[in-house]
Structures are given as structure tokens and as C-alpha cells.
């Protein structure tokens, strides 16, 4: 039994705490905020083995450049001479190849399936209800080129053994009898599930408290006390905590945290926004990605509907550009013409920073310089989906167990 300090109380940190506590360790989670303000709350809630294509794909660079000049577009990189951005951008561009897409598919599928299995187990824990539904995810398209792309994607999904079917307009409309949909068709990824992130996070916090995991909010970790090749203490602005093992799960802030243990991970924050109708007058049966609009829509937890999207590569200090939410709502109306959603007041708008690795794969594993440090971050658009699986892998790494899958593709120092 060891004293484990986990830095970061998003889904990755809390899920790691869940498995490490279960394995008998004494666990403390430290977060600079109050555990309720991070990227793991306002996301679209997809648990999606279908997302086996990483963010870095051929063509994304040109699309990004084109979109950059439209202030309501789904993708934006704030130009800057910042070294971290340049380093990330060069590595991202180098990763955006067909070969990388091909080699990433199996590890992304495997960690997503592992994670989904774990969430399905969590959903059976008495009192742990997070509105988990395994009914599938639609990817709706409106244009012929995207329809063609969808056909290829379905073939790839079949080769990966993922239950997927291509729907024409009529078949799509049958799934959504209450809502007119303006589309050429859709992919139905039957392999996918979704959940309500707020309930997941609050339920996890409750379980961890009951299991006497120490949860320390509003304490920012500022440095480490080191001896030889191990970390002895984790130092916050208020206190120092003895540690036998340290887990860095600080999401979009992980680049700086990793640098404190002399480890380089190329990483940029990717801001996204969401709006949630708490009691929606509209009805949809299925969560859906609006392919050309790059928007996610999720019916969740009864009568709620969440709309989310955009990817802004900006520092976490950049002020929010709320007008991007208009771009999201306009896209929704193009697919669901009956959906008239006025721009909500600012206090109802949410944004969060995705931890974007340079190649769209997470960083999970030990580091070279310190023998008692594990990093688990960089999940980009998939942190919720891969959260439970990542927590399990962190436990296996720290316990020296055989990992549930090959984690070589997630090696923390693969860019070193
Ligand atoms: C609009 C949108 C929709 C999305 N939809 C999906 C989806 O449907 N499915 C999916 O899988 N993913 C989705 N994502 C991505 C997902 O939300 C993220 O990948 C995930 O939440 C990242 O979790 P995390 O634990 O790594 O980071 P976070 O949740 O951001 O947690 C990191 C924590 O570390 C803390 N921290 C940072 N630095 C320090 C420090 N020095 N000391 C102490 N604490 C520190 C922070 O305060 C924070 O609480 C979406 C994201 C967005 C923005």
C-alpha cells in the first residue's frame, strides 16, 4: 500500500483515484480549482469507440487555415510566436499523415472499448447513476463528399469489428420521428454510448469521499521536492505532501506540470464551448455529430439537450469568444430546422480546455527521469470516453501489473 498523490481532479484524475483506492492505496487528489470547474463537466458525454481517427489527419491543416478567417468557424488557432505553440504545431503537422491515422486506429479503439467496459461496470455500482445509455451515436451528413467519406469510415469501422451501419435519409428520419432532419444520411455507430458528465463527476466525487480519498481543492501544485530519481513531496502554495507515487493528470495544464519533472510533452489547450437546455422543448432520440458543422448534440439525463463544439487552440488565459456559440447554434438549425435556440445569457454558456497532444493520442505511462511519476493526460477530444479505461491503466502501471492493453503507442516521451 502506497501514498499516492494525484494532481488534477478531472475525469482522468478521479478515475485514477477510484482504481488506486480500490487497489488498497492511500490516495490524495489535489486540484487548483474546486473540482467542479474543468473540462470534464460541459463536454458532450460520448463514450465512443467510433472515434478511432485522431485529431491530426491529412487535410486538417488546410481546413484549419481556411477556417481561421471565419470568426464562427469550428477550428481556430490563435497565431502567436509562443514556443510551445510552434513546437506543438510542427509536431501536429508531422503527425497529420495517412500512416499515422492507420496506426492510431487500433490503440484508440482498444482503449475506448476497455473504457466502455469499465463504465458499464461502474453503471452497476449501487447509487452510482450517471445516465449511461448504450444506444449508439449518429454522424449526420449533408453533402456528397462527406457521404462518400462516411462510406469509407463505415468500411474501416467494420474492419475494426465495430458495430456500425450506414443510413439513408428515410432510415435516419425513422430513428428521429419527432424531429425533421435535413440530411443526406448518417452513420449509426451502434458501438457507442453516452452519459451525463455532471452526474458522472459528482457521483465519482461522492464515492471517493465515502472511501476516504482525500480531496484537496483550491490548492495549486507549484513544485516538487526531489531526491535522486524520485519525488519525495508535492508542494502547493499552502502545504507540502509526502508522496510515494505521483500521478500527473492536469489536463490542458500538463505541459508545464510535466516540465517540473524534466519531461517534455507537446500539448496545447483546445477550447470548446457548450450550451445545455435543461428542459428541452425539442426531442431527439440519439446523440449526433453534425459532420460538416463539427457540432455535437446530446440528449442526456431525461429532458436535457447539450450542443457543443469548436476547437480553439489558445492559451488557457485567452478570454472566451462567446460569439462562437452562435456558430454552433446556427449549425444545429441547418440540420434540425425546427430548433430555434436563441443565444443564452453568458452565465449559461460553458467552455473548457481539451488537453490536445500533438498527435491525438493520450500520454499514459511512466517517465524516464523519476521512477515514481506516472503521467495520464493529452486525451484531446476523448478524455471522457477514455476516462475509466485510463484510470484502470494508471492502477496497473503503478501496481506493476500487466496492462490490459499495449500502451506503447501512448508512451509519454514518444516525441523526445
Ligand atoms: C465542447 C467539448 C465537448 C467534448 N465532448 C467530449 C465527448 O463527448 N467525449 C469525450 O470523450 N471527450 C469530450 N471532450 C473532451 C473531454 O472533456 C476532455 O478530454 C477531458 O475532460 C479531459 O479530462 P482531464 O481530466 O484530462 O482534464 P480536466 O477535466 O481539465 O482536469 C484537469 C484538472 O487539473 C487541474 N490542475 C491543472 N493544473 C493544476 C495544478 N498545477 N495543481 C492542481 N491542479 C491542477 C485543473 O484545475 C483541472 O481540474 C469534450 C470537450 C469539449 C470542450
Amino acid at each position: 500500500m502506497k501514498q499516492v498523490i494525484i494532481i488534477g481532479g478531472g475525469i482522468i484524475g478521479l478515475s485514477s483515484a477510484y482504481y488506486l483506492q480500490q487497489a488498497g492505496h492511500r490516495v490524495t487528489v489535489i486540484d487548483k480549482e474546486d473540482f467542479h470547474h474543468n473540462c470534464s463537466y460541459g463536454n458532450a458525454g460520448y463514450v465512443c469507440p467510433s472515434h478511432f481517427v485522431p485529431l491530426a489527419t491529412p487535410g486538417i491543416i488546410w481546413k484549419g487555415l481556411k477556417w481561421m478567417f471565419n470568426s464562427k468557424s469550428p477550428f481556430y488557432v490563435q497565431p502567436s510566436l509562443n514556443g510551445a505553440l510552434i513546437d506543438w504545431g510542427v509536431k501536429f503537422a508531422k503527425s497529420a499523415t495517412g500512416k499515422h491515422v492507420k496506426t492510431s486506429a487500433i490503440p484508440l479503439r482498444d482503449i475506448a472499448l476497455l473504457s466502455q467496459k469499465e463504465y458499464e461496470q461502474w453503471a452497476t455500482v449501487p447509487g452510482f447513476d450517471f445516465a449511461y445509455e448504450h444506444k449508439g451515436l449518429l454522424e449526420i451528413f449533408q453533402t456528397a463528399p462527406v457521404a462518400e467519406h462516411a462510406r469509407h469510415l463505415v468500411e474501416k469501422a467494420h474492419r475494426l469489428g465495430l458495430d456500425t451501419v450506414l443510413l439513408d435519409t428515410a432510415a435516419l428520419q425513422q430513428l428521429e420521428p419527432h424531429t425533421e432532419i435535413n440530411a443526406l444520411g448518417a452513420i449509426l455507430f451502434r458501438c457507442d454510448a453516452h452519459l451525463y458528465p455532471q452526474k458522472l463527476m459528482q457521483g465519482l466525487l461522492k464515492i471517493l469521499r465515502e472511501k476516504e480519498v482525500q480531496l484537496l481543492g483550491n490548492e495549486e501544485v507549484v513544485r516538487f521536492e526531489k531526491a535522486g530519481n524520485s519525488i519525495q513531496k508535492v508542494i502547493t502554495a499552502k502545504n507540502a505532501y509526502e508522496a510515494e507515487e505521483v500521478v500527473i493528470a492536469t489536463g490542458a495544464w500538463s505541459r508545464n506540470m510535466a516540465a517540473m519533472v524534466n519531461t517534455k510533452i507537446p500539448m496545447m489547450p483546445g477550447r470548446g464551448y457548450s450550451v445545455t437546455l435543461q428542459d428541452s422543448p425539442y426531442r431527439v432520440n440519439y446523440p449526433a455529430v453534425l459532420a460538416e458543422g463539427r457540432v455535437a448534440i446530446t440528449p442526456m439525463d431525461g429532458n436535457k439537450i447539450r450542443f457543443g463544439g469548436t476547437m480553439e487552440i489558445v492559451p488557457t488565459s485567452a478570454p472566451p469568444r462567446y460569439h462562437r456559440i452562435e456558430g454552433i447554434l446556427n449549425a444545429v438549425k441547418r440540420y434540425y430546422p425546427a430548433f430555434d435556440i436563441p443565444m443564452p445569457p453568458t452565465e449559461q454558456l460553458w467552455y473548457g480546455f481539451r488537453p490536445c497532444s500533438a498527435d491525438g493520442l493520450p500520454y499514459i505511462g511512466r517517465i524516464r527521469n523519476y521512477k515514481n511519476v506516472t503521467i495520464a493526460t493529452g486525451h484531446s477530444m476523448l478524455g471522457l470516453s477514455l476516462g475509466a479505461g485510463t484510470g484502470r491503466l494508471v492502477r496497473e502501471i503503478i501496481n506493476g501489473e500487466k496492462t490490459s492493453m499495449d500502451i506503447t503507442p501512448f508512451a509519454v516521451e514518444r516525441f523526445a
Side-chain angles (χ1 to χ4, degrees):
M1 190 216 260
K2 288 183 174 171
Q3 175 64 58
V4 186
I5 305 279
I6 298 174
I7 311 167
I11 183 59
I12 303 300
L14 296 191
S15 160
S16 303
Y18 178 85
Y19 287 99
L20 288 164
Q21 185 283 330
Q22 243 180 18
H25 298 290
R26 287 187 308 276
V27 181
T28 298
V29 187
I30 305 179
D31 199 285
K32 68 182 173 61
E33 305 283 339
D34 60 0
F35 289 97
H36 295 96
H37 291 90
N38 54 47
C39 197
S40 303
Y41 279 80
N43 61 67
Y46 298 164
V47 177
C48 45
S50 66
H51 283 43
F52 53 81
V53 179
L55 181 60
T57 54
I60 185 86
I61 308 288
W62 290 115
K63 238 181 223 166
L65 284 173
K66 197 176 83 190
W67 276 333
M68 271 178 68
F69 299 101
N70 174 356
S71 70
K72 288 180 189 164
S73 70
F75 189 74
Y76 174 74
V77 181
Q78 183 170 300
S80 153
L81 291 177
N82 174 299
L85 173 64
I86 293 169
D87 177 54
W88 179 89
V90 169
K91 293 185 166 91
F92 183 88
K94 278 192 184 156
S95 303
T97 64
K99 183 168 171 253
H100 171 66
V101 170
K102 205 167 166 198
T103 54
S104 304
I106 290 178
L108 282 178
R109 175 202 62 184
D110 288 351
I111 187 172
L113 288 174
L114 169 70
S115 199
Q116 196 177 58
K117 202 166 118 217
E118 296 302 311
Y119 278 126
E120 273 165 19
Q121 207 279 323
W122 291 14
T124 66
V125 173
F128 193 10
D129 168 21
F130 44 97
Y132 182 83
E133 287 186 74
H134 192 152
K135 68 193 303 191
L137 169 76
L138 292 167
E139 186 164 322
I140 303 178
F141 49 83
Q142 294 185 313
T143 58
V146 181
E148 185 54 26
H149 173 76
R151 260 186 287 281
H152 292 301
L153 198 59
V154 168
E155 280 165 18
K156 276 189 199 160
H158 287 165
R159 283 201 292 277
L160 289 167
L162 298 172
D163 186 3
T164 305
V165 61
L166 197 59
L167 308 175
D168 62 15
T169 313
L172 167 63
Q173 197 60 74
Q174 259 177 14
L175 293 182
E176 296 289 6
H178 311 284
T179 312
E180 184 199 343
I181 302 188
N182 180 15
L184 284 184
I187 308 174
L188 173 60
F189 291 104
R190 290 203 195 98
C191 52
D192 287 357
H194 68 283
L195 53 80
Y196 183 38
Q198 266 77 354
K199 275 195 166 170
L200 174 77
M201 295 298 287
Q202 278 157 13
L204 260 179
L205 286 169
K206 180 166 171 281
I207 290 177
L208 295 175
R209 262 186 219 108
E210 284 165 3
K211 302 278 183 194
E212 297 184 1
V213 167
Q214 207 182 8
L215 299 170
L216 305 172
N218 301 309
E219 283 204 51
E220 180 165 357
V221 171
V222 289
R223 65 185 179 86
F224 297 102
E225 201 173 290
K226 302 160 183 171
N229 65 347
S230 67
I231 299 295
Q232 305 270 286
K233 286 186 185 164
V234 174
I235 316 288
T236 70
K238 297 179 190 165
N239 277 304
Y241 299 95
E242 305 255 353
E244 287 169 282
E245 289 283 348
V246 175
V247 178
I248 295 179
T250 41
W253 295 265
S254 299
R255 185 179 166 276
N256 290 345
M257 190 59 57
M260 288 187 212
V261 286
N262 311 95
T263 301
K264 266 190 170 176
I265 51 171
M267 164 89 90
M268 282 303 290
R271 182 165 50 198
Y273 300 82
S274 74
V275 172
T276 308
L277 302 183
Q278 296 296 330
D279 187 12
S280 170
Y282 310 109
R283 248 185 91 182
V284 284
N285 289 331
Y286 286 83
V289 172
L290 311 181
E292 295 86 350
R294 305 241 161 186
V295 163
I297 146 164
T298 319
M300 39 173 75
D301 190 37
N303 217 22
K304 300 180 180 66
I305 301 192
R306 178 167 291 171
F307 308 95
T310 81
M311 175 67 90
E312 286 179 347
I313 305 295
V314 292
T316 51
S317 55
R321 296 177 170 85
Y322 286 123
H323 63 282
R324 286 189 174 270
I325 291 182
E326 280 172 45
I328 295 177
L329 298 177
N330 292 343
V332 170
K333 177 118 182 106
R334 288 198 297 276
Y335 290 75
Y336 301 84
F339 281 37
D340 267 320
I341 306 153
M343 182 72 178
T346 308
E347 62 275 14
Q348 287 173 23
L349 308 176
W350 178 89
Y351 65 88
F353 294 96
R354 303 171 185 92
C356 294
S357 65
D359 57 3
L361 298 184
Y363 302 111
I364 306 172
R366 293 286 194 187
I367 60 172
R368 281 186 214 137
N369 288 325
Y370 295 95
K371 67 177 189 324
N372 61 341
V373 175
T374 301
I375 291 186
T377 189
H379 296 74
S380 308
M381 308 181 298
L382 295 171
L384 195 276
S385 184
L386 310 184
T390 301
R392 187 186 163 117
L393 291 170
V394 167
R395 185 207 71 198
E396 292 168 348
I397 292 164
I398 287 180
N399 281 358
E401 297 162 25
K402 182 175 181 334
T403 49
S404 300
M405 60 173 288
D406 175 18
I407 56 167
T408 323
F410 309 142
V412 174
E413 289 164 277
R414 60 185 179 272
F415 287 103

